[in-house]
Amino acid sequence: MSTSVGTFQPNTLQWSVQTQVTVDNTAGNTKHFTCTGFRLVHIHANQEFLINFGAAEANCGANDLQLEAGSYTLAVPDAIGNAVIMNILAASSDDVTVRVVLS
């Protein structure tokens, strides 16, 4: 389930600040963010993390993109269906705290 602090209105320049989340490395605890209708995702993570995009909520695993701690801006893929979900999981035994802004 995705939680949002802001809102999105189609055909306007908008952004949505998502609720900060902390997640461990248990696949079943993967956090999901609904990115449908957005073009970019801005991410800040304090630890290494795994990330994937899909048409539905999915667990992250060893075959997903692994990024170091830091700040990133990624394009939201639009060729995966009507819905776009971003899934994030800690890449190591250390919990990762993630801040996400969609635009």
Side-chain angles (χ1 to χ4, degrees):
M1 172 189 277
S2 177
T3 53
S4 175
V5 177
T7 60
F8 173 72
Q9 297 175 352
N11 302 318
T12 61
L13 182 60
Q14 295 288 321
W15 52 272
S16 176
V17 178
Q18 303 296 297
T19 303
Q20 173 183 305
V21 297
T22 299
V23 62
D24 61 23
N25 66 343
T26 305
N29 293 337
T30 299
K31 297 299 181 185
H32 314 284
F33 298 88
T34 301
C35 301
T36 306
F38 292 97
R39 300 282 184 211
L40 297 173
V41 58
H42 312 277
I43 304 168
H44 176 77
N46 69 339
Q47 298 287 338
E48 192 172 43
F49 64 101
L50 300 171
I51 183 171
N52 69 43
F53 289 90
E57 292 182 358
N59 291 338
C60 287
N63 293 327
D64 293 319
L65 181 62
Q66 185 170 333
L67 297 173
E68 298 289 330
S71 297
Y72 298 90
T73 298
L74 303 173
V76 175
D78 63 358
I80 58 176
N82 292 332
V84 180
I85 308 296
M86 179 179 67
N87 305 293
I88 292 180
L89 185 68
S92 69
S93 60
D94 294 326
D95 290 357
V96 61
T97 298
V98 180
R99 293 171 181 88
V100 173
V101 176
L102 302 169
S103 63

